[in-house]
Amino acid sequence: MNLNAPQRQAVFHKEGPCLVIAGPGSGKTAVLTQRVKELINSGVPANEVLVITFTKAAAIEMKERFERLSEERAPVTFGTFHSLFWGIIQKELGYKNCDIIMGAAKERVYREAMHLAGEDEAEIPKKYQFLKDKYHVLDFDDMLTKAHQLFLQRPQVLTKWQDRFTYFLVDEMQDMNDLQFQLILMLSAKTNNLFCVGDDDQSIYGFRGANPKMMQDFMEIYPDATKIILDYNYRNPKNIVTAAGSLIGVNKNRFPKDIKSTTPEGSIQVLERNSPEEEADYIINSICKLREKGVSLDEIAVLYRNHSDARYVVDRLVSSDIPFYLKEQMPNVYTHFIISDIENYFQLALGNITKARMLAILNRPNRFLHRQSVERGAEKRAMLDFYKINPGNYRTVEALWADIELIGKMNAVAAISYIRRAMGYDTFLAEEAVKKQVDYSEYRDVLDFITEVFRECRTVRQAIDKLNILRLKIDYENKNRNVDKTGKVGLYTLHSSKGLEFENVFIIAVNDGIIPNSKAETREEMEGERRLFYVGITRCKKNLSITYNNKKNRDKSRFLSEMKI
């Protein structure tokens, strides 16, 4: 490939520490693989080169790209932090793959730790560690802590592994946590041939311990290190690079950069809609227009801050029969207890009577009816017989069944409204919200959502049929996510979109309180939210569409004005 000047400087850097600041679309993967090739061409034994990435998929992709560059297979080590240090502690401490506890096995050990700790909850982590040592097992996080302890307690082991490699290349440095940073510093200390590539502006995993300041720390630890900025962006159109630069330039905790686009201007739209439903309608209409123009659906992505922000989009995609895939598992809103309650009322109204359904709604809202009133049967006659000597409850059962029978004669939206207001379900939810310390607006949003989903359903039976289709569709996409993306629209949280690119990107619900998140209070937290939005914007290769809604008098995101478009 033809290298630009900073790329060439990075590829041909030889001795000593080097920090490469690689913005979006700057060709960092190509730089890393070309550098490995050049090291080998210069006489460095391939088995002394270590390349560390953060995911197994990234390691495989980088290895494949390197092998396409090489005329013959070279024994370069490509791996993740966890795979590297797991291999080390396996060899040095005798652990086997069967010693890793996950899922149910981990839960069993943790429950035993809770039992040993008794009422002293603060002692649970200590007991958990005691039991892992006792059983000679470890969990995923222990792979790094064990390696760190091993290097500190047995310097000869550290020396052995320092001798194993002479050149160290680290991808996505901004995603490193403190422990990973310490481990790679220890491992490379003999040669200091540490070549780290990352972008502090794309550090979005603070909840996992990642810290963009680590890249600045690198320059303090190695004051004579070479610093290279890959400042050509080959992905994003010129106007998107400018807007993204204006946004991220507000952050203080970063390396200043002057990123230059090599691509002509694209399209940027910022649109206000009255509600999430209207946002979703706009997205679907836009997708249909793109498809009519011959755009492949797999060049379209819809990005959002939280899974709940995508509810209406998913509903419209299913209703419009537009294929889509999920990058990560999405909570199935159609299994929410509120929607299950509505479904149970509807099923009973249709005559699909079971004890389970009646018990589920018997006291939602509270009617002070006993569960035993359903034991002999959930039908109206059986329940009335149970209360034949209790006139008050007898009348309550009569009223309940009158309501259920009435619901069956309504359209779906009217039925939900009747359940909420005439039957008192809204009051029940308000009480539940207080009891469970949940914001009542979350419950109200679910009810508003399912009401909108059922708006076109003329009967309760049609609503049940639609609900079953939607629930199964989300379950299917969750189970088969990432299996086949061909000819499908991609649905991604902003976090999960990192590293990807699409011709057409829609970012929805860009409102204050969502993007940035309402929990972001400190300057550091707000800078993290700004980095996250920056990542979303820079996924776009051609057309960027940003929408926000003014439902509940929400304000548009402050980040939009920072983009200066």
Side-chain angles (χ1 to χ4, degrees), residues 15 18 28 57 103 126 130 155 255 262-263 280 291 346 363 365 385 388 422 455 465 467 505 543 565:
E15 303 293 333
C18 179
K28 70 177 181 64
K126 188 192 231 180
F130 165 77
F255 288 104
T262 63
T263 309
R291 184 158 61 172
F346 283 13
N363 288 301
D385 285 347
K388 60 187 174 184
R455 191 159 298 283
D465 290 343
L467 180 60
V505 171
N543 303 310
I565 52 175

Side-chain angles (χ1 to χ4, degrees), residues 184-198:
I184 198 63
L185 289 177
M186 294 170 83
L187 206 56
S188 62
K190 188 170 182 179
T191 64
N192 279 342
N193 289 329
L194 180 56
F195 183 90
C196 290
V197 181

Side-chain angles (χ1 to χ4, degrees), residues 198-329:
D199 183 8
D200 51 337
D201 289 337
Q202 295 188 74
S203 178
I204 61 173
Y205 298 123
F207 58 91
R208 295 181 191 163
N211 184 354
K213 188 177 179 297
M214 216 167 286
M215 294 181 69
Q216 295 171 14
D217 292 343
F218 183 96
M219 297 306 298
E220 292 176 11
I221 294 167
Y222 303 110
D224 297 326
T226 301
K227 183 176 75 173
I228 302 168
I229 298 179
L230 303 184
D231 53 2
Y232 286 92
N233 183 323
Y234 294 94
R235 175 197 302 156
N236 305 129
K238 185 178 180 181
N239 51 341
I240 291 177
V241 169
T242 301
S246 295
L247 170 76
I248 203 64
V250 178
N251 279 2
K252 306 297 182 190
N253 182 21
R254 64 186 292 267
F255 288 104
K257 309 169 189 69
D258 179 22
I259 305 298
K260 296 171 278 291
S261 173
T262 63
T263 309
E265 290 205 348
S267 163
I268 304 179
Q269 293 188 84
V270 178
L271 301 167
E272 178 186 38
R273 290 295 180 263
N274 291 322
S275 64
E277 301 96 288
E278 289 191 14
E279 278 187 278
D281 289 337
Y282 162 74
I283 301 296
I284 299 307
N285 290 336
S286 299
I287 290 172
C288 290
K289 288 176 183 175
L290 287 168
R291 184 158 61 172
E292 287 169 6
K293 292 177 181 177
V295 174
S296 176
L297 292 181
D298 48 33
E299 279 296 345
I300 302 172
V302 181
L303 313 184
Y304 40 87
R305 180 67 171 82
N306 309 300
H307 288 297
S308 58
D309 302 323
R311 291 171 182 169
Y312 291 98
V313 172
V314 170
D315 170 57
R316 299 301 196 269
L317 287 168
V318 174
S319 300
S320 304
D321 201 26
I322 296 174
F324 66 93
Y325 64 89
L326 301 171
K327 165 67 174 179
E328 57 188 10
Q329 186 155 328

Side-chain angles (χ1 to χ4, degrees), residues 35 41 51 67 116 140 165 177 224 241 296 328 349 358 379-380 386 401-402 493 514 555:
R35 172 167 163 74
N41 288 347
V51 183
E67 288 175 349
L116 286 177
F140 197 67
F165 302 104
N177 61 35
D224 297 326
V241 169
S296 176
E328 57 188 10
M358 181 54 76
E379 294 77 10
K380 178 180 178 181
F386 182 85
W401 275 102
T493 61
I514 300 175
D555 293 326

Side-chain angles (χ1 to χ4, degrees), residues 345 361-368 419 423-425 427-428:
Y345 272 115
I361 58 90
L362 190 64
N363 288 301
R364 293 177 176 233
N366 199 346
R367 301 179 176 90
F368 303 98
I419 292 167
M423 296 176 70
Y425 190 72
T427 303
F428 159 74

Side-chain angles (χ1 to χ4, degrees), residues 379-417:
E379 294 77 10
K380 178 180 178 181
R381 186 72 263 162
M383 292 178 69
L384 288 172
D385 285 347
F386 182 85
Y387 283 119
K388 60 187 174 184
I389 59 172
N390 187 327
N393 284 346
Y394 189 94
R395 286 193 293 273
T396 300
V397 171
E398 281 188 316
L400 170 60
W401 275 102
D403 286 337
I404 288 171
E405 289 160 8
L406 187 58
I407 288 168
K409 300 172 184 176
M410 298 178 176
N411 66 47
V413 171
I416 292 175
S417 179

Side-chain angles (χ1 to χ4, degrees), residues 424-438:
Y425 190 72
D426 272 359
T427 303
F428 159 74
L429 284 183
E431 293 167 352
E432 279 291 292
V434 173
K435 199 183 300 180
K436 294 182 178 177
Q437 297 183 312
V438 173

